[in-house]
Amino acid sequence: MTRAPTGLSALPSGRIEERFEDKNPRYTEAEAFAEANRCLYCVDAPCIKACPTEIDIPSFIRKIATGQVKGAARTILTANLLGQSCGQACPVEVLCAGDCVYNAWGREPIAIGRLQRYAVEAALAKDPGLLRAKPPTGRSVALVGAGPASIAAAGYLALEGHRAVIFERKSIPGGLNTLGIAPYKMKGHEALRELEWVLSLGDIELRAGVSVVEQAAAPGEVSARDLLAEFDAVFLGLGLGDDARLGIPGEDGEGVVGATAFIERLKADPRLELSGVRRAAVVGGGNTALDVAHELALLGVDVAIVYRRSEAEMSGYAHELEGARVAGARLIENRVPVEVARDGGRLVGLRIAPADARQEAPQGAAPAAEELVPADLVAVAIGQSRATRVALAFEGVALDARGRVVVDPATHRTGNPRVYSGGDCVNGGKEVVNAVAEAKIAARAMHEAMMQRAGAAAPGPAPQGE
């Protein structure tokens, strides 16, 4: 058990992610001042409407422009406790900056993400105690998983005076922020530094290396029943599970990796060695596939992205595909993997075929042409399983047909009145900012419910004598 991560020492040196340069380095004071003064401070502020956490963007930018950096950071963090990481990792191109009025005029939108990062980092470097917790309430919440949703929820609950205990099965906390964000956007140690700050906001405890199970039977395990007995409420921030598999011949063996597992090793495991990888095939069309392709290309690997549909149908963002292409990756559309090709067990490439070859060919027609994409590494990014089995250990919690935890959107409460949930296990896999937005809703609902129960349990006023 640990009260807080140990910052840089929590991640060993020699990690491949250390080789990446920052795509959008933090602004200097002069750069931030100049960019902030481009903002028009729109009255209707479409950028606010596009932000899932509804940060008052014109307000914080105006404060930067007038030298009130601490006030700018307070505006950001009140709305989004993970304002620093969202400033670095948010796809602002399709959120706040994507709705900036400058776009309609053919001009460069305000660099909202970079301004947000500057304000938070600059302010917290001078005054980490920017936000203050209320007096203790005597109420407590257990949070399962130490990803962005649980971290944000714990912070909001602590600021209200509640005790928050986060249970994380891995030794390295932070979830997606620490182990999943592309290293050219944010490094793992930066995520841990932000986590340390959140843990300082009040009575928050992190218990790393502890798994929540249906029935605890070994050290390092705690049961759902025990959590409900010890805490006033429980928040499930379970994230997503293991990478999905292709289910084709040759997939088992060295050289084939799940995309998220690969990114995690790239960010945290100094033993990962890529010196023998000159060519790679990345299978998938989502943002995870594009991140892996971009990362490998930046490392000098010749990368082919294999996608079963057309570019127009890709779920990954267009700006992420463009970034991968600029780095050197290429897209192969309308193709499906049919075999991982090996020579004596050694991976030599990925055999692909036209996507329509999956359908039965007309009688007498020639078989669809297959081709080999030479590769020393195949990264599979076609989705992840749901990590929601533990949710069913809590009575009343249900999953939908896609394995997501079912919640009331207004409160994020599950079918159990004392269990709440948010983040990827609820939304199926969105952005960090969505996890924070859902955590805010759940934390507010938990706070109100706990205080109502506390009020109902309190004795009434003593009778007055005549």
Side-chain angles (χ1 to χ4, degrees):
M1 178 168 55
T2 177
R3 187 68 177 181
T6 54
L8 286 169
S9 64
L11 290 173
S13 60
R15 309 178 326 270
I16 290 178
E17 83 156 354
E18 295 173 317
R19 305 178 195 172
F20 291 86
E21 295 183 358
D22 198 335
K23 177 184 176 184
N24 292 308
R26 174 179 151 183
Y27 274 146
T28 64
E29 182 179 357
E31 289 170 334
F33 180 80
E35 183 66 11
N37 275 285
R38 284 208 307 126
C39 183
L40 301 175
Y41 315 119
C42 304
V43 175
D44 58 347
C47 53
I48 298 178
K49 299 182 180 70
C51 175
T53 55
E54 299 180 330
I55 296 174
D56 188 344
I57 294 168
S59 178
F60 94 69
I61 293 180
R62 183 184 290 273
K63 288 174 181 176
I64 294 174
T66 55
Q68 303 175 65
V69 178
K70 186 182 292 188
R74 186 176 287 111
T75 297
I76 295 164
L77 295 170
T78 300
N80 182 345
L81 277 180
L82 303 188
Q84 176 194 320
S85 56
C86 287
Q88 293 178 250
C90 255
V92 294
E93 296 87 348
V94 296
L95 294 174
C96 53
D99 272 16
C100 178
V101 296
Y102 276 134
N103 290 295
W105 302 339
R107 298 176 60 184
E108 189 71 20
I110 300 298
I112 298 171
R114 297 187 72 182
L115 287 172
Q116 181 170 310
R117 176 186 180 182
Y118 165 78
V120 174
E121 288 192 5
L124 291 183
K126 294 181 178 179
D127 182 11
L130 208 57
L131 303 180
R132 303 287 184 181
K134 296 177 182 178
T137 63
R139 300 289 161 174
S140 62
V141 177
L143 302 102
V144 184
S150 289
I151 294 169
Y156 285 118
L157 289 164
L159 289 171
E160 292 291 349
H162 306 301
R163 178 171 180 255
V165 181
I166 306 173
F167 296 84
E168 169 56 49
R169 63 182 177 85
K170 294 182 178 180
S171 60
I172 299 175
L176 173 67
N177 271 14
T178 306
L179 301 172
I181 291 177
Y184 52 84
K185 298 177 184 176
M186 186 171 74
K187 306 290 192 298
H189 69 263
E190 294 173 312
L192 290 179
R193 185 173 62 222
E194 180 180 54
L195 172 55
E196 286 181 327
W197 175 75
V198 173
L199 293 176
S200 75
L201 293 176
D203 189 1
I204 307 177
E205 180 181 351
L206 171 65
R207 300 184 186 179
V210 178
S211 298
V212 176
V213 296
E214 185 173 359
Q215 292 184 338
E221 294 181 344
V222 61
S223 72
R225 184 188 299 271
D226 288 341
L227 293 186
L228 288 171
E230 181 180 352
F231 297 90
D232 296 286
V234 174
F235 178 83
L236 303 177
L238 305 172
L240 295 176
D242 296 333
D243 293 292
R245 291 168 54 84
L246 293 169
I248 59 176
E251 183 176 13
D252 295 324
E254 288 194 21
V256 180
V257 297
T260 63
F262 175 76
I263 294 173
E264 180 172 329
R265 290 197 64 197
L266 185 146
K267 292 179 67 68
D269 187 355
R271 297 168 299 178
L272 178 63
E273 179 57 62
L274 296 179
S275 59
V277 177
R278 295 180 296 108
R279 301 165 299 187
V282 177
V283 182
N287 288 312
T288 300
L290 299 180
D291 275 347
V292 171
H294 195 163
E295 291 158 14
L296 288 169
L298 288 174
L299 291 169
V301 177
D302 178 15
V303 183
I305 305 168
V306 177
Y307 181 52
R308 62 194 175 100
R309 295 194 178 106
S310 69
E311 177 178 338
E313 297 172 284
M314 294 179 76
S315 60
Y317 298 133
H319 69 271
E320 296 288 11
L321 175 59
E322 180 60 22
R325 278 176 162 156
V326 169
R330 68 187 188 279
L331 174 65
I332 301 176
E333 305 173 75
N334 299 306
R335 295 293 187 275
V336 293
V338 294
E339 180 187 10
V340 174
R342 297 184 180 275
D343 181 5
R346 181 178 64 88
L347 175 66
V348 295
L350 181 69
R351 194 170 302 283
I352 61 176
D356 57 9
R358 291 172 298 173
Q359 303 172 3
E360 186 176 347
Q363 187 173 3
E370 295 183 357
E371 57 184 300
L372 181 70
V373 178
D376 309 301
L377 177 75
V378 173
V380 182
I382 58 172
Q384 293 172 253
S385 64
R386 300 291 182 250
T388 44
R389 187 179 65 174
V390 65
L392 298 177
F394 295 87
E395 185 178 356
V397 177
L399 307 180
D400 67 11
R402 297 173 62 185
R404 300 171 299 185
V405 178
V406 177
V407 299
D408 174 0
T411 61
H412 272 256
R413 190 178 73 180
T414 69
N416 185 316
R418 291 172 54 209
V419 180
Y420 298 72
S421 188
D424 285 351
C425 66
V426 170
N427 62 45
K430 291 187 177 181
E431 308 296 341
V432 173
V433 69
N434 298 101
V436 176
E438 294 175 8
K440 281 173 62 177
I441 294 171
R444 186 181 302 118
M446 283 186 281
H447 167 68
E448 292 175 354
M450 287 189 295
M451 298 314 290
Q452 286 174 1
R453 287 198 295 268
Q464 299 295 315
E466 296 182 356

